[in-house]
Amino acid sequence: MTNAPGEPDATSTPHSTGHPAATGHPAVTRLYARLVVSDGARAIDFYRETLGAEEIERYTGPDGTIVHAMLRLGGAAIAVKDADTGDPAPTSLGGSPVIMALDVPDADAVAEAMLRGGATVVYPVADQHYGQRGGRLADPFGHLWMISQTVEDLTPEQIQERTTDLFTS
């Protein structure tokens, strides 16, 4: 199996000989989501306009379809590609079980930008019991995004206590 442009070999680091790390596990050099969409160019515009994504690279097939585009969102990266027979978009599958989680300074502002760009609300932005203000949106391409900001610094014990209270009250 060959890697798409921009994808590292999962068993090597940029300076390794390709052998697994001393632990016997593959050396992971990078992890990013690869979002398959029905209209790659439109999706890139959506992510640029609503999330401030910066396009790093784009490779297209002879017909102009996007076979790989890398976007930077703050300190994170995602890849986008057009759907094809081997990689269906979530809209053709009835949705996606994967949720992209974004920590942002202002969850309300990001949610509003996404809604203006065509996203829909799954769960509205609200204060949550675990110290976050956040909600969940579906982008126009079927991908789910959990948008949140920290509003209260809690310990893991405090979060567990509040979670227990939530489910037992």
Side-chain angles (χ1 to χ4, degrees), residues 151-167:
V151 293
E152 186 178 12
D153 288 320
L154 300 172
T155 66
E157 294 80 15
Q158 290 171 311
I159 295 170
Q160 182 58 61
E161 182 179 331
R162 288 182 179 187
T163 301
T164 300
D165 290 347
L166 180 70
F167 285 99

Side-chain angles (χ1 to χ4, degrees), residues 50-132:
T50 64
L51 301 176
E54 174 189 1
E55 185 174 328
I56 304 304
E57 59 191 23
R58 180 189 297 207
Y59 305 103
T60 59
D63 62 354
T65 59
I66 296 173
V67 296
H68 174 83
M70 187 63 76
L71 308 178
R72 181 177 299 133
L73 288 87
I78 60 170
V80 173
K81 77 172 296 275
D82 278 308
D84 56 32
T85 56
D87 295 318
T91 51
S92 68
L93 300 172
S96 173
V98 176
I99 302 168
M100 302 294 295
L102 290 181
D103 291 334
V104 298
D106 186 342
D108 293 285
V110 172
E112 283 302 316
M114 291 181 72
L115 290 169
R116 282 192 307 275
T120 57
V121 173
V122 176
Y123 297 113
V125 173
D127 291 339
Q128 306 297 331
H129 72 278
Y130 44 85
Q132 300 282 310

Side-chain angles (χ1 to χ4, degrees), residues 4-78:
E7 282 189 47
D9 179 332
T11 62
S12 64
T13 64
H15 304 289
S16 77
T17 60
H19 297 288
T23 62
H25 300 289
V28 177
T29 60
R30 179 168 63 162
L31 173 68
Y32 60 90
R34 188 173 184 80
L35 304 181
V36 180
V37 297
S38 58
D39 184 341
R42 198 171 121 233
I44 290 169
D45 287 344
F46 173 83
Y47 300 135
R48 182 184 300 120
E49 293 166 10
T50 64
L51 301 176
E54 174 189 1
E55 185 174 328
I56 304 304
E57 59 191 23
R58 180 189 297 207
Y59 305 103
T60 59
D63 62 354
T65 59
I66 296 173
V67 296
H68 174 83
M70 187 63 76
L71 308 178
R72 181 177 299 133
L73 288 87
I78 60 170

